[in-house]
Structure formats: C-alpha cells, structure tokens
Amino acid sequence: MKFLRELTKSFSWKLAYRDAKPQWRSLILYTSSVMAGVAALVAILSFRSDVLLTVDDQSKELLGADIELRSNQPFPEPIVTFIDSIGGSTATAIEFNSMILFKQSGANRLAQIRAIDGPFPIYGTISTNPVDASSRYQDEAFALVEQSAMTQFGASVGDSIRVGNLDLIIGGELISVPGEAAAFSLIGPRVYIPRDLLEDSGLLDRGSRITYKQYFEMTNLETVESIVEELRPIAREHRVRIETVESEKEDFQEVVDNLTKFLGLIGFIALLLGGLGVASAIYVYIKRKTAMVATLRCLGVTKEQVLTTFAIQIAALGLVGAALGTTIGVFLQFYIPALFVDLLPFTIVQSVSLQAVALGLFTGILISVLFSMLPLIGISTISPLLTLRNSEFSPISELSSKFKLTTAIVSVGFVILIVSLLTESLAVASVFTFSLIIFVLMLWLVSTLLIIIVKNMRLKSFKYEIRQGMANLFRPNNQTSMLITTLGMGMLLIGTLYLSQDMLLQRIDFQLGDDTPDLVFYDIQTDQNSGLNETVEKIGGEILQNVPIVSMRLSELKGMTVSEVRADTTIRLSRWALSREYRVTYREELNESETLLEGVWVGEADGLSSVIPISVEQEIMDDLEIELGDTLGFDVQGVPIQTVVSSVREVDFQRTEPNFFILFPIGVLEPAPQFFASTISVDNEEMSLAIQQAVVTEYPNISAIDISIALRSIREFLDKISLAIQFMALFSILTGFIVLASSITISRRQRTRESVLLRTLGANKNQIGSIQTIEYALLGLLASLAGFILAVLASWGLATFYFDLNFIPDFLNLTLITLLIMAITILIGWSGSRHIFKNSPLEILRLETT
C-alpha cells in the first residue's frame, strides 16, 4: 500500500526524472533488448490479421464458386439428378496429371491439366498474358500454359504443345489462378484447356487418375446451406466431396493460424531473451546505484520512495522499448508478405492492426517489468550503512529464497498467460514455456562450462593481448553468461532449423544411388506394359521394377460392413482408412523397403476359393484397430474378396519406388482390372529426356515423374518455408547483439578506466585494440559454440530417433554462421568502445578523484 501511495506523489516522479535525465540514452539501451522481440511479435500478429482480413474479403475467390462438388469417378446418377433438380451447374472441370510435350523444343514435363467448360472461376479472374487469353481459350480452343514452364523450356505464345493425342496452340501464359499459390506449380505446371477437346484426346479412357468437378453460383447464403444439407447424405454415400466458401475459408484460416502461431512463438523467444537481457542490465544498473541509494537513505528517503523511483524508471523504459519495437514491427509488417509471396493464393490487403499493436505494447512492458522485479525489489535491502562499508553488495542475494521462488512462479505464470493469448491453448502455452525454460537452462549450463574451460586454460602460454582479452570476460559485473545465452539461442534456432532441413533433403537424397530410379512411369495399362518396357530397354534404360496395381475399397471389417462400422457410435476409427481407395499389389516376396514385424508372410494363394492371407502396413493396422488374424473384406470393382491379416509390415515410404499399405500374394489378383507402374534407371539426362519423349509420343496417357525435377521442387518448397522461419529466428540473434551493446554501455566507465590504465603502463593503441578484438571474438565464438553444440545434439536426436539416418552435419555452413556471428560481435564491440581511444592517460587522474 505504501508503494501505491508513493506512486501518487510528485516527489517520486521528480526524483526518477532527475536521476534518469543525465543517462537516458544508456537507460533506453538497457531496455531496448525487448525491442527486437516486440517488433517480431507485432509484425507477425499484424501479418496474421492482414491475411485473415484478406481471406474474409476474398473468400469466394479462394474457391472460385459458392459450391464445389468433387469426385474421383464420373458423378453417379443420384448426384446428377440432384444437380439437375437445382438448375444445373455453372461450370464443370476435369483435372488430371499428364505429360505434355513442347513441340518446338522437344522437352516434356508432367503437368496438371485443367479441362474447363463454363465461366470458371466464377469469382475472380485467371491472370494471363495476353490479358484476354483467359476469356478466349474455350471459344478458340487453345491452351493456357504456366508462365514458369514456358520460361524454363523456352516456349512462347504461338508455339504448340501435345497433350495426349491433342496438338494445341499456346494462346497465353498462365500467370496466376484465384485461390492457388504460386508454389502450387511446383507439383507440375498448370495447363488450362477447353473440356470439349478431351473426347478426342485418348486421356479419359486409359485409366488416368481423374478428378471431376462441378461449380455452382448461388444467390444467397441460405440457399447454399440448404442445398448442402440436402445433398450431404447422398454425397457421403457416393464419396462425393462438398466444398463451400465457408469450409474453404475455415481450412485456410486454420493453416494461417498454425503458421503464424508458430512464427509468433519464435518471435516471442526473442522477446523473452530480451527480458533476460533487461534483468541482467537492471541488476548491474541497480548494483552501481548502491552508494547513491544508501546516501538517499541517510538523507531520510524511505525505501518505498526509492523503490517507487526506480520502478517508475523501469516501467517508463519498458514502455519506450515496447513502443520502439511496436513501431518497427508495424513497418516490418509491410515487408513480411514478401516471405510468403509464393505460398499465399492472393495479394494481401494490409492495414495497421490495433489489436496487434496493443498486445505488443502490453507484452513488452509486462516482460520488462517481470524480469526486472527481482533486482528492483532488491533495492529495499540496501542499508544506509553501505555508505560507510566498502563491500561488494548484491541486491538479489539479500532477498529470501521464498521471495525469489514466489517471484519466479509469478513470472512463469504471466509468461504462460501471454503465450496462451498467442496460441489460444493453455496446454500448448505450458509445454512451450517449460520447454523454453529447459533450453535456456541448458544454454546457461553449456555457456557456464565453456567459460570455466576458458578460465582454467593455461594463460601464461599465450601472448599478453590474448591473456588480457580472455581475462576481460571475467571482469566484475560481467554479463558473459547472459550474452552467450542470448546469442546462443539464436544460433540454436537457426542451426537446428538448417540441420533439420538438410536432413529432410538428405532423407530423399539417401535413396538416390545406382540402384534407385531416375524415372517413375505410372498409369500403364495392361496392353501397354510390354510395349513400354521394350521402348525403355531399346533406348538404354534399365527397368528396376514393374509393379501391377489393383484398386479396391474396404467393404467389411472384422465381420461388419463399413456402413455398420460407421453407424456404430462406440467405434471410433479413421474415416480416411475406412473410405479411401486402396491401391494394392501382389508379389511372392517382400522387397528391401519392407520389414516383417509380426506374423508369417504367405507369398502364394490358391485363387478366390478360400480366405486370402494378406500383409498390412503397421500404420493402417493402427488406424483400423485390427490385429493378426482379423478379417477384412474388399470390393474389387464389384468382386468381393475375403482376406485375413497374416502378417504386419513396416514400410519405408520415403524410398522412391512404389510401396503399398496392403500386399496380396500371387495367385489371386492376376485376372483383376489393373494397371502398372515402372521405375527406370538411366545413364544420363539425355537418355531420360529421350525415354520420356518416346513414351509421351507412343503412350500419351502414361505419366512420368522425373526424380531430379521432383527433388528440385521439394528443395524449392522447403527453402520458401525455411526462409520465413530463419527470418524470425534472426530476431533472437539480434536480441543478443542488443544485449551485447547494452553490456558495453553498462561497463563503459570500467572499460575506459582499464584501457587508460593500460596506456598509462605503456600499452599502445594496437595492443588495446587487439585486447578488445579478442574479448569480443571470444564472446561471439563461445555464444556460437554453445548454440552449435545444442543444435547438433537436437539434430542428432531428430536424425537418430525420427528420421532414422546416420547423422552427418554440414559443419562447413555452421562454421560460416559462427564466423559471421563473431564478426558482427566484434563490430558491435568496437562501435561501443571507440571512445576509449579518445581518452588521454591523464584521465586516470580525473577518474581517481571522482
């Protein structure tokens, strides 16, 4: 209560102002370590607000229509009847993947074919060059081809492509499609053609994987809701998917929420590190003020008045740091979209989010006050007798353990509260906060061990400059551990991210060798299989695998029909596993990508006369909640087959070869309708192109995946995602650098005194400069090394226990990052120490008398 009363008195405010006025620049720098975290937080929260507002504004363009119906088969009669009853669809589309051949260059590429009939998109406009090409391509029967693919293969408007048996003129470059991000083209370039042309293409009657779509325009929301409610039971029965503007918007908002929450947490890490920097700076600041506070106490100033004075300073500085960070974050918000330009299906409409600004200010001030609480309250333990004693006083050490623990619990509670606001989940906030505390403690422990190692090195064997630079790390009031922790956290984030991304790519590269494919052909019909194999071998390719594939659906599960399983509310199984189309194969032996976990593999069966023993992949076993000996019924295009689970396999689906959830023995599925997939090995890129061209020309319905192109697409996508995450992780390193600058400012007087003493004793400027350089280089090295060690340990854990890889870190790039951090640390150190060379040795006399 006394503290609150003092806040209302002018004396405390005047004393706070007069004490802060001569050193306001230094004080602002002390608290500016929260600035980077607040800036990151405000930028991400504002970006999230902009995206969600844009989604609301352009929600219809995400889908392109009010209702979309989607099916992997031609729409059945009940669905067609319903469509006719509501007046028919506004537009239709058939989508599938197929090889296209650029006739001028002879290049070919797997593409996403969109065959459209009607005014689609109903909302929004396909952007093309020339501009009117999207409105003419159906009437004039030409193709729109992805601009990136045309640039890659040197094609231009007026050239020709072949799709199946069709030769089409390229009438326009496809620049963007409403509701689809540019990164979507990494799967394959998009090609738009009139739907009427498909009848003569030979692509729809040869087993291609096709998606049929119907688009509807409705007059009002009530009409949409009533139609969807009436259609849903029929659609569920015939496996037709319904999409509406609201469902599309909800799906997209969920993705945006998850991404921005994740990035926001990375920014919040920088804010918490800044809070640690504030706590350290305020601790040293108050420690320096011990004599002044003791004098004030002798003059009759109460401890409540002193506490109020410094509380006002810290709160005001927290407000300034948070305000500066918020301002930077608002400006940074307008550049964040550049990181996601290829990942978002629209142009963001930007505005200042008052909610994001308010939360940034509140969080910055709260973190500054929370982390300054212990050293601040330690002021109350300063005794007037300290004016007479020449002792090293620590404001925190005088506080009781119970009070320290209570303060720590309150601080952690507030941190969890803030993270809960960011993530909208108390459980996530708790796990995140305690995990972060563990990582900070680990960093602190590693930094302490490194400092001990440096301190116990045999300094006498080094040159004087090196010995003195190393000794400077242990000067009184040093913040070496804090600096190593804050800079090390940034290195930990970036290092772990880089190594994890590298492992994801390594997981793919790991499979690419002499015995792995360069090309994969699929949708090969039975009457095409031998001809394709002959074509490949004639050109010089090696067929590694030629696998038959049969499509079927689950009809029974442990004696119950799928409909009965769905109707039973006590059974909670994966809807995906129950309703999906299973593509299975049959063979006599297991291959290298499969490991038998349980049961016995039976490689041959005697037709359909008995229950067929099958092998099931372990994840599907879990999804269907089945065990060895359970029975499954399948519908193979109208033919029922009864099976029993005789074995369980672990399948490495990361291998670039056909792998299957369910494996049949030979002697059962040979007569069933089927198609084939082949994996091919080639000697060089020219042979790969020759094989693809020959196959596209002779068998236009067959699709090919060039593994090198697929891998390049994966790399590009991972690079786009990791760029945004690395950008946010850099704020943690920036926080560390600000803490470093603050530390230099705090110890400015001490550093000046030491340097002048050295010059008085005969040291020249080069020697003093070398000492400073070694000190800052060691700080950067130790910080990078601390983060480096933990990043390697974390990545090793991921490689060993998650990716199942031999861990081979890229030490070259990590070393380059370490050198960069060292260089920046040295530059910041030098920029804060330039004043040292401006002081003459005579200044030592003045310092002695002050």
Side-chain angles (χ1 to χ4, degrees):
M1 293 300 294
K2 291 182 179 180
F3 173 77
L4 295 177
R5 284 199 298 269
E6 291 298 331
L7 281 175
T8 63
K9 297 179 180 180
S10 60
F11 173 78
S12 299
W13 291 85
K14 289 179 181 178
L15 184 60
Y17 172 74
R18 290 172 181 171
D19 179 62
K21 185 177 179 182
Q23 51 191 346
W24 65 271
R25 291 185 180 87
S26 299
L27 289 173
I28 289 177
L29 185 59
Y30 297 169
T31 192
S32 64
S33 52
V34 303
M35 183 177 63
V38 171
L41 202 58
V42 171
I44 286 298
L45 292 176
S46 298
F47 170 73
R48 176 188 176 188
S49 175
D50 288 342
V51 172
L52 296 182
L53 286 174
T54 305
V55 170
D56 283 335
D57 186 56
Q58 304 179 21
S59 57
K60 289 192 174 184
E61 293 185 12
L62 286 175
L63 187 63
D66 291 305
I67 302 176
E68 174 195 280
L69 301 185
R70 182 187 309 172
S71 174
N72 293 330
Q73 301 291 334
F75 289 102
E77 187 60 32
I79 298 293
V80 174
T81 301
F82 184 88
I83 292 173
D84 292 339
S85 70
I86 61 173
S89 60
T90 306
T92 63
I94 296 178
E95 299 180 1
F96 55 92
N97 293 336
S98 180
M99 300 298 293
I100 60 171
L101 174 67
F102 292 88
K103 300 188 69 175
Q104 273 69 21
S105 64
N108 54 82
R109 177 76 192 274
L110 181 67
Q112 303 176 68
I113 310 298
R114 315 281 178 81
I116 309 294
D117 180 27
F120 181 82
I122 299 169
Y123 303 108
T125 304
I126 297 176
S127 177
T128 58
N129 181 30
V131 176
D132 62 345
S134 62
S135 62
R136 295 188 292 111
Y137 78 99
Q138 293 186 44
D139 293 332
E140 300 181 22
F142 58 74
L144 304 176
V145 180
E146 189 93 44
Q147 188 178 53
S148 59
M150 293 182 64
T151 302
Q152 178 184 0
F153 297 113
S156 58
V157 175
D159 289 350
S160 298
I161 61 170
R162 171 168 288 181
V163 183
N165 296 326
L166 296 175
D167 290 330
L168 295 171
I169 299 296
I170 301 175
E173 295 179 326
L174 186 65
I175 299 173
S176 65
V177 178
E180 293 184 9
F184 197 83
S185 64
L186 294 175
I187 302 171
R190 293 164 288 190
V191 177
Y192 276 67
I193 64 174
R195 177 176 172 174
D196 294 342
L197 299 179
L198 284 184
E199 294 180 4
D200 300 324
S201 67
L203 293 171
L204 299 184
D205 55 356
R206 300 296 294 177
S208 298
R209 300 182 185 184
I210 300 169
T211 300
Y212 297 84
K213 293 184 178 181
Q214 299 270 3
Y215 300 98
F216 301 84
E217 181 180 14
M218 297 298 165
T219 55
N220 56 62
L221 182 61
E222 289 75 15
T223 303
V224 172
E225 292 177 350
S226 62
I227 289 176
V228 170
E229 284 301 316
E230 188 177 352
L231 176 60
R232 184 169 284 120
I234 309 173
R236 186 181 295 117
E237 180 182 353
H238 296 281
R239 297 186 177 91
V240 173
R241 183 172 178 178
I242 306 173
E243 290 285 356
T244 65
V245 172
E246 285 302 315
S247 65
E248 188 78 0
K249 184 168 70 173
E250 289 173 3
D251 291 343
F252 190 81
Q253 285 177 341
E254 183 178 358
V255 173
V256 171
D257 274 348
N258 290 336
L259 177 62
T260 52
K261 285 174 185 176
F262 174 68
L263 295 178
L265 289 178
I266 295 179
F268 188 69
I269 289 174
L271 181 57
L272 289 180
L273 293 176
L276 291 175
V278 168
S280 181
I282 296 300
Y283 172 78
V284 176
Y285 171 69
I286 290 176
K287 198 172 180 182
R288 282 174 44 197
K289 291 287 185 178
T290 299
M292 185 201 79
V293 171
T295 302
L296 289 174
R297 295 295 309 279
C298 289
L299 295 175
V301 178
T302 65
K303 63 181 180 181
E304 287 81 10
Q305 289 174 321
V306 173
L307 184 63
T308 304
T309 298
F310 284 95
I312 291 171
Q313 287 185 358
I314 292 170
L317 293 173
L319 175 62
V320 171
L324 289 173
T326 300
T327 303
I328 295 172
V330 169
F331 282 103
L332 192 63
Q333 158 197 0
F334 296 100
Y335 296 94
I336 289 286
L339 300 173
F340 300 91
V341 65
D342 292 330
L343 301 174
L344 295 174
F346 44 67
T347 301
I348 297 177
V349 178
Q350 295 185 306
S351 62
V352 177
S353 170
L354 296 179
Q355 183 180 5
V357 170
L359 184 57
L361 279 171
F362 169 75
T363 304
I365 296 171
L366 184 61
I367 291 297
S368 297
V369 173
L370 280 177
F371 282 73
S372 304
M373 192 178 299
L374 273 179
L376 175 63
I377 296 177
I379 291 176
S380 62
T381 64
I382 297 178
S383 168
L385 291 176
L386 287 177
T387 55
L388 305 176
R389 297 175 184 170
N390 186 20
S391 61
E392 187 70 18
F393 175 77
S394 172
I396 294 180
S397 62
E398 298 296 320
L399 297 173
S400 66
S401 299
K402 182 178 180 181
F403 183 83
K404 294 176 187 177
L405 179 61
T406 302
T407 304
I409 293 174
V410 171
S411 299
V412 171
F414 272 106
V415 170
I416 292 176
L417 175 63
I418 296 172
V419 179
S420 298
L421 294 175
L422 294 175
T423 62
E424 301 175 1
S425 170
L426 181 61
V428 171
S430 301
V431 171
F432 171 81
T433 302
F434 287 108
S435 298
L436 184 61
I437 291 173
I438 291 172
F439 272 103
V440 170
L441 291 176
M442 290 174 64
L443 267 172
W444 197 287
L445 176 62
V446 172
S447 65
T448 303
L449 291 175
L450 291 174
I451 292 170
I452 292 174
I453 291 172
V454 172
K455 192 172 185 178
N456 290 313
M457 293 178 70
R458 303 185 58 150
L459 300 182
K460 292 182 180 180
S461 60
F462 296 106
K463 292 177 59 177
Y464 168 74
E465 291 87 344
I466 298 176
R467 297 201 309 270
Q468 188 63 34
M470 295 172 68
N472 280 354
L473 297 176
F474 314 106
R475 60 160 53 90
N477 296 331
N478 75 84
Q479 290 184 294
T480 302
S481 294
M482 177 61 65
L483 292 170
I484 293 176
T485 300
T486 50
L487 281 172
M489 179 60 80
M491 180 64 180
L492 169 61
L493 289 174
I494 291 178
T496 303
L497 174 66
Y498 174 80
L499 290 173
S500 298
Q501 178 187 354
D502 192 54
M503 280 188 292
L504 287 174
L505 296 175
Q506 179 191 356
R507 188 68 182 89
I508 300 169
D509 289 337
F510 181 72
Q511 310 298 338
L512 301 180
D514 295 335
D515 58 344
T516 54
D518 301 293
L519 291 172
V520 177
F521 288 106
Y522 59 94
D523 286 336
I524 307 169
Q525 301 307 299
T526 304
D527 60 341
Q528 298 173 329
N529 192 42
S530 59
L532 180 136
N533 294 340
E534 291 175 4
T535 299
V536 169
E537 292 174 345
K538 182 177 180 181
I539 297 175
E542 179 186 357
I543 299 173
L544 300 178
Q545 285 186 320
N546 184 233
V547 182
I549 300 173
V550 179
S551 297
M552 59 182 66
R553 289 190 180 275
L554 191 65
S555 60
E556 294 182 12
L557 176 66
K558 295 189 286 189
M560 299 175 63
T561 67
V562 171
S563 299
E564 291 172 342
V565 172
R566 287 175 175 167
D568 192 335
T569 57
T570 63
I571 301 176
R572 298 183 179 274
L573 300 180
S574 167
R575 293 183 61 85
W576 171 82
L578 280 173
S579 60
R580 74 183 305 274
E581 181 180 59
Y582 286 91
R583 296 179 183 270
V584 309
T585 192
Y586 53 90
R587 67 173 102 94
E588 194 170 2
E589 302 289 342
L590 301 180
N591 62 26
E592 294 180 358
S593 66
E594 299 168 323
T595 304
L596 191 65
L597 300 179
E598 295 180 74
V600 177
W601 163 244
V602 179
E604 186 174 358
D606 188 17
L608 299 176
S609 59
S610 60
V611 177
I612 311 302
I614 60 172
S615 181
V616 182
E617 199 273 335
Q618 60 175 347
E619 291 185 11
I620 293 294
M621 296 281 291
D622 295 335
D623 289 341
L624 294 176
E625 296 183 5
I626 56 178
E627 301 175 349
L628 283 176
D630 285 342
T631 58
L632 299 175
F634 290 95
D635 182 348
V636 185
Q637 300 186 35
V639 177
I641 295 181
Q642 292 297 317
T643 67
V644 62
V645 180
S646 67
S647 64
V648 182
R649 293 166 301 132
E650 179 182 18
V651 181
D652 184 1
F653 286 102
Q654 301 297 328
R655 293 176 66 97
T656 51
E657 60 186 50
N659 285 299
F660 303 88
F661 287 121
I662 296 176
L663 181 62
F664 273 72
I666 62 172
V668 180
L669 297 179
E670 284 83 352
Q674 57 194 273
F675 58 93
F676 290 80
S678 290
T679 57
I680 313 297
S681 176
V682 297
D683 294 336
N684 49 56
E685 186 176 351
E686 289 75 17
M687 183 181 293
S688 174
L689 291 175
I691 291 174
Q692 291 182 65
Q693 288 175 6
V695 171
V696 169
T697 302
E698 191 170 356
Y699 308 107
N701 67 290
I702 295 176
S703 299
I705 298 176
D706 189 318
I707 299 300
S708 62
I709 293 177
L711 179 59
R712 186 162 61 246
S713 297
I714 293 172
R715 288 181 184 275
E716 290 179 14
F717 184 77
L718 289 177
D719 286 343
K720 294 178 189 298
I721 294 292
S722 66
L723 177 63
I725 301 175
Q726 287 178 18
F727 178 77
M728 297 307 302
L730 284 174
F731 280 92
S732 295
I733 289 183
L734 178 60
T735 299
F737 289 143
I738 295 175
V739 174
L740 172 62
S742 174
S743 173
I744 293 171
T745 302
I746 290 172
S747 59
R748 179 186 177 97
R749 180 186 178 98
Q750 185 178 4
R751 290 174 185 273
T752 302
R753 182 185 178 91
E754 290 175 356
S755 298
V756 172
L757 279 171
L758 289 174
R759 290 180 63 186
T760 303
L761 295 172
N764 57 42
K765 291 184 179 180
N766 289 335
Q767 288 176 313
I768 295 174
S770 298
I771 291 170
Q772 298 290 338
T773 301
I774 290 167
E775 177 186 354
Y776 298 128
L778 279 173
L779 273 175
L781 176 62
L782 292 176
S784 301
L785 194 57
F788 181 98
I789 291 171
L790 290 180
V792 169
L793 287 175
S795 302
W796 170 82
L798 287 173
T800 304
F801 301 108
Y802 188 77
F803 294 113
D804 193 22
L805 283 174
N806 294 323
F807 181 51
I808 308 176
D810 186 349
F811 286 112
L812 176 61
N813 282 311
L814 290 177
T815 301
L816 292 176
I817 295 175
T818 299
L819 293 176
L820 178 62
I821 292 176
M822 287 177 60
I824 297 176
T825 304
I826 292 171
L827 288 174
I828 292 176
W830 271 90
S831 66
S833 306
R834 289 176 300 171
H835 68 283
I836 290 175
F837 301 105
K838 298 178 182 179
N839 296 290
S840 67
L842 290 176
E843 186 166 350
I844 186 65
L845 299 176
R846 300 191 187 99
L847 291 172
E848 290 291 340
T849 58
T850 58

